[in-house]
């Protein structure tokens, strides 16, 4: 799907637009509609889809710039015609070349080059993404997500020769290996919020909008608190199961006290005493006075059912 979004960005968005903001909303909607014709995508992902198209469109323009403009500055006559096979009109190409040769663009380009040099941990995943890469190295992963994230980040920066380039990267890899070993031996305990092996090894917190080594659209708030979110869900589920078990006991109790419709015998309901941990009868002093009673679970404040005593001599619930 991501490859298809890239194709749509190349075909639908003209390179003469200076920025994504200048692209008409109708063109953006066309990209989104085209994606939905081929894939079943949640409507809430429209913004993410267009952000992806924006990124791929800028990458496309960067490719054209370096391959067909900067490499031919010594031969300006070759810049007049658009490259063959890219479906670019002559007018769009002329406007694109002029914009790329401007002083403003050169200034922005130089700033981006400086920023790129500051990335001392470049990944080697190409277009693959962390999710697919994690599937490929599944044999190296384990049940500990802290260890997994560190391993995925580490292996994603290995070159084709199986080596790590750069002193800073090598130092970070050594720290990761050391912390992973400590964690497996039970010697490493991280109690700081939003901190695990990778963030400790890199000595930096996660960006507010993403988590390194995981992929896009996963925020630190969710990633580092998913355990408590799941635990809360399990607690609620356990409570529901307790309620269900209690109701089943009550149903069994009432079934035993039900009238036999095949005989003329009077109905004499029975009541079974549940475990003390399961129930309490409130208003105990008025138990035989035909007044309302409440059934509680765990504590007197947790009322799960109400009832009324309907028989005095033969006790039962109604």
């Amino acid at each position: 799907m991501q490859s298809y979004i890239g194709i749509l960005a190349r075909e639908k968005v003209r390179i003469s637009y200076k920025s994504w903001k200048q692209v008409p909303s109708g063109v953006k909607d066309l990209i989104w509609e085209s994606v939905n014709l081929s894939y079943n995508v949640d409507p809430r992902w429209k913004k993410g889809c267009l952000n992806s198209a924006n990124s791929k469109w800028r990458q496309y323009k960067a490719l054209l710039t370096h391959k067909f403009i900067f490499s031919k500055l010594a031969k300006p006559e070759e810049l007049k015609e658009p490259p063959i096979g890219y479906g670019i009109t002559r007018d769009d190409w002329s406007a694109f070349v002029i914009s790329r040769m401007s002083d403003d663009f050169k200034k922005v380009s130089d700033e981006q080059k400086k920023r790129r040099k500051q990335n001392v941990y470049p990944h080697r995943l190409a277009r693959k993404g962390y999710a697919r890469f994690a599937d490929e190295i599944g044999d190296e992963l384990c049940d500990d997500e802290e260890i997994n994230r560190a391993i995925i980040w580490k292996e994603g920066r290995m070159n084709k020769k199986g080596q790590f380039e750069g002193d800073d990267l090598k130092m970070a890899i050594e720290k990761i290996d050391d912390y992973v070993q400590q964690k497996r031996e039970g010697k490493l305990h991280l109690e700081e919020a939003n901190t695990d092996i990778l963030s400790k090894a890199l000595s930096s917190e996660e960006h507010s909008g993403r988590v390194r080594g995981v992929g896009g659209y996963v925020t630190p708030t969710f990633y580092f608190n998913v355990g408590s979110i799941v635990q809360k869900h399990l607690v609620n589920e356990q409570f529901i199961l307790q309620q269900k078990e209690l109701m089943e006991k009550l149903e069994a109790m009432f079934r035993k006290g039900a009238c036999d419709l095949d005989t003329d015998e009077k109905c004499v309901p029975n009541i079974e005493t549940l475990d003390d941990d399961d129930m309490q009868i409130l208003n105990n002093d008025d138990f035989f006075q035909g007044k309302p009673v409440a059934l509680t679970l765990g504590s007197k404040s947790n009322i799960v059912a109400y009832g009324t005593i309907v028989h005095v001599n033969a006790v039962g619930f109604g």
Side-chain angles (χ1 to χ4, degrees):
M1 184 179 67
Q2 291 293 338
S3 296
Y4 182 54
I5 292 175
I7 293 174
L8 292 173
R10 292 187 181 203
E11 292 182 348
K12 307 298 183 183
V13 186
R14 298 166 56 182
I15 62 174
S16 56
Y17 294 118
K18 292 184 178 181
S19 68
W20 187 253
K21 292 182 179 180
Q22 293 184 351
V23 179
S25 59
V27 176
K28 298 176 182 178
D29 290 340
L30 181 59
I31 293 175
W32 170 243
E33 292 170 1
S34 299
V35 171
N36 275 272
L37 288 175
S38 301
Y39 299 92
N40 184 18
V41 185
D42 191 313
R44 292 173 296 181
W45 197 67
K46 179 178 180 178
K47 182 178 179 180
C49 173
L50 295 180
N51 285 339
S52 179
N54 173 21
S55 177
K56 291 172 174 56
W57 178 65
R58 289 188 289 108
Q59 292 172 6
Y60 173 53
K61 294 202 297 180
L63 170 68
L64 296 175
T65 301
H66 291 281
K67 188 174 182 179
F68 298 106
I69 297 179
F70 286 174
S71 64
K72 299 181 178 181
L73 293 179
K75 302 178 181 179
E77 65 278 0
E78 296 185 6
L79 298 177
K80 296 180 180 179
E81 297 295 329
I84 300 175
Y86 286 83
I88 303 174
T89 65
R90 180 175 295 180
D91 291 340
D92 282 347
W93 178 251
S94 297
F96 182 67
V97 171
I98 292 174
S99 67
R100 279 339 199 207
M101 298 291 289
S102 66
D103 293 336
D104 291 340
F105 177 79
K106 291 180 180 179
K107 181 180 179 180
V108 172
S109 178
D110 291 339
E111 291 176 353
Q112 294 302 320
K113 289 178 181 178
K114 292 179 181 179
R115 293 181 61 184
R116 194 181 308 118
K117 290 181 179 180
Q118 294 176 359
N119 181 12
V120 294
Y121 309 126
H123 69 74
R124 307 282 181 171
L125 300 179
R127 297 189 306 161
K128 188 177 302 178
Y130 283 112
R132 288 175 57 192
F133 183 66
D135 290 337
E136 289 184 3
I137 64 170
D139 294 339
E140 302 181 36
L141 305 181
C142 60
D143 295 332
D144 193 321
E145 291 303 320
E146 286 190 16
I147 293 178
N148 289 345
R149 186 168 86 102
I151 291 176
I152 293 172
W153 187 92
K154 166 190 167 183
E155 298 297 324
R157 277 145 185 82
M158 184 183 296
N159 62 23
K160 294 181 179 180
K161 298 180 180 180
Q163 301 173 341
F164 298 103
E165 301 177 359
D167 295 336
D168 292 327
L169 178 58
K170 292 178 181 178
M171 186 178 300
I173 297 302
E174 291 177 359
K175 289 183 179 180
I176 289 174
D177 291 340
D178 183 38
Y179 291 144
V180 167
Q181 185 63 29
Q182 290 185 38
K183 184 70 185 299
R184 285 173 170 165
E185 295 175 355
K187 298 178 180 179
L188 181 65
H189 302 283
L190 300 172
E191 299 179 355
E192 299 88 348
N194 295 1
T195 301
D196 62 0
I197 293 175
L198 182 59
S199 56
K200 183 176 177 62
L202 300 179
S203 300
S204 62
E205 297 180 353
E206 300 299 322
H207 186 275
S208 60
R210 60 174 174 79
V211 179
R212 292 167 292 193
V214 177
Y217 311 107
V218 179
T219 64
T221 301
F222 175 81
Y223 180 81
F224 288 103
N225 294 287
V226 66
S228 61
I229 294 173
V230 172
Q231 182 63 29
K232 182 178 180 181
H233 170 74
L234 293 178
V235 169
N236 291 337
E237 186 176 18
Q238 184 180 13
F239 176 76
I240 293 173
L241 290 175
Q242 290 175 347
Q243 298 277 39
K244 183 178 179 180
E245 291 175 0
L246 179 58
M247 292 303 105
E248 290 175 350
K249 289 182 180 181
L250 290 173
E251 289 177 3
M253 179 183 69
F254 285 121
R255 281 196 299 270
K256 287 186 178 182
C259 298
D260 189 350
L261 299 179
D262 295 331
T263 67
D264 294 332
E265 297 180 2
K266 291 185 178 181
C267 177
V268 182
N270 298 318
I271 177 170
E272 290 187 355
T273 302
L274 300 180
D275 296 336
D276 292 339
D277 294 336
D278 289 334
M279 71 167 285
Q280 302 170 32
I281 300 294
L282 302 186
N283 300 328
N284 195 45
D285 294 339
D286 298 326
F287 184 83
F288 296 103
Q289 304 303 318
K291 292 188 177 181
V293 293
L295 180 66
T296 68
L297 176 65
S299 67
K300 291 184 179 181
S301 61
N302 184 26
I303 300 175
V304 297
Y306 294 94
T308 304
I309 301 300
V310 295
H311 293 285
V312 175
N313 295 325
V315 181
F317 281 108

